[in-house]
Amino acid sequence: MAPIDQDPLLLLRQSIASGSAIIPTASDEASAAEVSLSQATHLTFTSPARISLSIDTPTRFVSNDTPVDLRSIYFAWLNREVAIPEYNSYASQLNQDLGGKAQVHKFAYIEKLDLITWLEGASEESECIKPLAADKDGTASAATAALASKGAAAPTAGAAASGRSGKGSLDPRLASIYNSERKMGNRNSVLRGIKPTDFSHVRKFAALFMAKKPLHPSSSNIPSNPALASHQKQKRPDPIILLSPSASSLLRMSNIKSFLETCQYVPPNSLTANSSTMANMLHINRIMKDIDANRPMRFILVEGTEQFKPEYWNRVVAIFTTGQTWQFKNYKWSNPNELFRHVPGIYVGWRGEQPPESVRTWGHRVMNVAVDRWSNPGTTTVDSSRWRDREAVEGIWKAIENNMRSKGWKRDQAPSSI
């Protein structure tokens, strides 16, 4: 490494601070003229004395563990005001002009900022600049850099080293200044800290939490405990009633709720039908005294079985039909005789009219229910004279309840098969 009085970085910083000329030349002669950086072989400093250094001299500025040459340092200073993309473009052009004889180092943004800040004298330290050979902790480098930033000549290596070791004549005022200096941190030193931190003591605290049992036992452990399993309540599934999707049916999604809940029949397309014609599912609550006298059961009413899962058929407790066999096409049992052996059927027709032939052939498995005709088609109120509707509805519910009991419906469970 060059001595302090010929250190390239210190000479460059001193020349910048004093405003003296820095001349790239093609030789080390005093009369050498200024040339471009692509042709220069030396860099001549004119203050405090004329000194010419080889432009390929490695400096104490290190990038990726490689010293950066003087040409690259001086080129970065000349382009200090240029943005990084333009700087890289200029560097590529200079490398092309050099013709492979040398390569200009392209500084990263942080490296370039750190270098320019140090050369301008705004900072006395740089992480990328190694200390001088005779300066192990960098104090002499800081001192000479401080003097160079003021344009003063750099002290010799011996004087700086002896002054720091107490064997020379270091100015007491300068020593006082050095003792009062506060080492400034940067983002790397702040993030890394000044010493490694041992977190091994955290393990003993973590062990206390890891040893604790979970607050909520897993579901896989519950069935293994008979005492817990016996106290777990099973949710009772809702029974299902299927309606006929036929347009000729007297009971549709629009009027079935009022019929089974309030025991009043109204036509499906009348203004008094209180259910939405667009609904594809309805719910009705009713207490089935012979199954659960304390809690009402919720029945699900649907017209189609498109969304049915196979296990849903075990919950079907009644099927309303008009006698048209196409209704059962997508059922689990498409044959009516087989279907009504598993699920009771209900046919609702006008009083005084014979049910269809198909309904009569299905026999007692299909319940025949008659209701009075609607006498006031234009009225918007419920006809109070329809007292027979209650009798019909109660008969339907009684048949449904008897079938549910025979199939195994209980207070908290449904049959596994029908």
Side-chain angles (χ1 to χ4, degrees):
M1 187 69 68
I4 292 179
D5 55 354
Q6 292 188 0
D7 180 73
L9 290 180
L10 291 178
L11 289 173
L12 181 58
R13 177 170 174 164
Q14 180 181 353
S15 298
I16 293 171
S18 61
S20 57
I22 305 172
I23 307 171
T25 59
S27 67
D28 58 352
E29 297 179 359
S31 60
E34 182 176 359
V35 295
S36 63
L37 280 180
S38 60
Q39 299 175 347
T41 60
H42 291 75
L43 196 64
T44 301
F45 301 94
T46 58
S47 176
R50 190 178 182 90
I51 300 176
S52 293
L53 299 179
S54 172
I55 202 166
D56 295 322
T57 301
T59 67
R60 291 182 291 118
F61 193 98
V62 178
S63 176
N64 297 325
D65 298 328
T66 303
V68 180
D69 59 280
L70 181 57
R71 179 191 286 108
S72 300
I73 298 290
Y74 183 60
F75 179 76
W77 168 254
L78 294 178
N79 295 276
R80 59 188 179 278
E81 304 293 340
V82 178
I84 289 295
E86 297 179 16
Y87 162 76
N88 290 333
S89 176
Y90 295 160
S92 299
Q93 181 62 42
L94 179 57
N95 288 332
Q96 185 176 356
D97 296 340
L98 288 171
K101 295 183 296 182
Q103 286 288 325
V104 174
H105 175 76
K106 296 180 181 180
F107 290 92
Y109 174 77
I110 297 298
E111 291 178 339
K112 183 182 177 186
L113 180 63
D114 191 61
L115 173 64
I116 300 304
T117 302
W118 187 86
L119 289 176
E120 289 178 336
S123 173
E124 302 300 331
E125 295 179 348
S126 172
E127 287 189 347
C128 300
I129 299 178
K130 289 185 175 182
L132 294 169
D135 181 25
K136 299 303 182 181
D137 61 359
T139 306
S141 297
T144 53
L147 293 174
S149 65
K150 296 179 177 62
T156 63
S162 61
R164 286 187 62 256
S165 61
K167 297 179 181 179
S169 57
L170 180 64
D171 191 338
R173 292 175 297 177
L174 186 59
S176 176
I177 294 174
Y178 289 161
N179 293 332
S180 301
E181 285 183 348
R182 184 178 65 178
K183 187 175 180 62
M184 302 298 292
N186 54 26
R187 61 184 184 88
N188 290 325
S189 62
V190 169
L191 292 176
R192 294 173 184 171
I194 59 176
K195 62 179 180 179
T197 304
D198 184 12
F199 291 98
S200 60
H201 65 282
V202 180
R203 295 179 180 176
K204 63 179 181 180
F205 297 105
L208 298 176
F209 294 97
M210 298 296 291
K212 289 184 178 181
K213 295 181 179 180
L215 297 177
H216 302 286
S218 61
S219 57
S220 60
N221 296 331
I222 295 178
S224 62
N225 191 333
L228 293 176
S230 61
H231 287 82
Q232 287 186 346
K233 293 184 179 180
Q234 298 180 356
K235 185 180 183 300
R236 179 179 63 194
D238 298 332
I240 300 173
I241 297 176
L242 287 175
L243 304 181
S244 172
S246 175
S248 62
S249 176
L250 299 185
L251 294 174
R252 302 294 304 277
M253 295 295 286
S254 59
N255 65 342
I256 185 65
K257 191 174 180 70
S258 63
F259 182 68
L260 294 180
E261 280 191 337
T262 64
C263 301
Q264 291 281 349
Y265 176 79
V266 293
N269 56 353
S270 68
L271 297 177
T272 55
N274 56 10
S275 298
S276 173
T277 57
M278 301 299 295
N280 55 11
M281 180 186 297
L282 295 174
H283 297 94
I284 292 178
N285 294 321
R286 183 175 175 89
I287 292 181
M288 312 300 279
K289 295 182 180 180
D290 293 340
I291 299 177
D292 189 352
N294 300 320
R295 185 173 49 155
M297 300 186 72
R298 189 177 75 160
F299 290 81
I300 299 176
L301 282 70
V302 293
E303 282 186 345
T305 60
E306 293 81 4
Q307 305 297 328
F308 261 39
K309 295 180 180 179
E311 60 269 19
Y312 287 2
W313 282 102
N314 296 330
R315 295 159 52 187
V316 178
V317 296
I319 297 176
F320 283 83
T321 180
T322 59
Q324 297 165 301
T325 56
W326 60 262
Q327 174 185 348
F328 319 127
K329 180 179 179 181
N330 297 322
Y331 284 13
K332 181 180 180 180
W333 303 282
S334 57
N335 185 291
N337 292 318
E338 178 69 16
L339 173 65
F340 295 124
R341 272 199 286 268
H342 296 276
V343 184
I346 302 172
Y347 170 78
V348 179
W350 297 124
R351 192 180 302 278
E353 291 186 359
Q354 289 291 331
E357 181 64 25
S358 58
V359 175
R360 293 199 301 268
T361 60
W362 295 334
H364 68 280
R365 294 188 179 91
V366 178
M367 180 182 181
N368 187 8
V369 179
V371 295
D372 296 330
R373 284 184 176 274
W374 186 256
S375 58
N376 300 316
T379 185
T380 58
T381 59
V382 177
D383 189 353
S384 60
S385 65
R386 301 188 60 87
W387 53 271
R388 290 184 178 181
D389 291 346
R390 178 173 293 277
E391 180 182 357
V393 173
E394 292 297 335
I396 293 174
W397 281 119
K398 188 64 177 177
I400 293 176
E401 185 174 10
N402 291 337
N403 174 72
M404 293 177 65
R405 288 182 57 198
S406 65
K407 295 296 184 181
W409 282 86
K410 297 181 181 180
R411 183 177 60 182
D412 294 318
Q413 68 182 36
S416 58
S417 63
I418 58 174

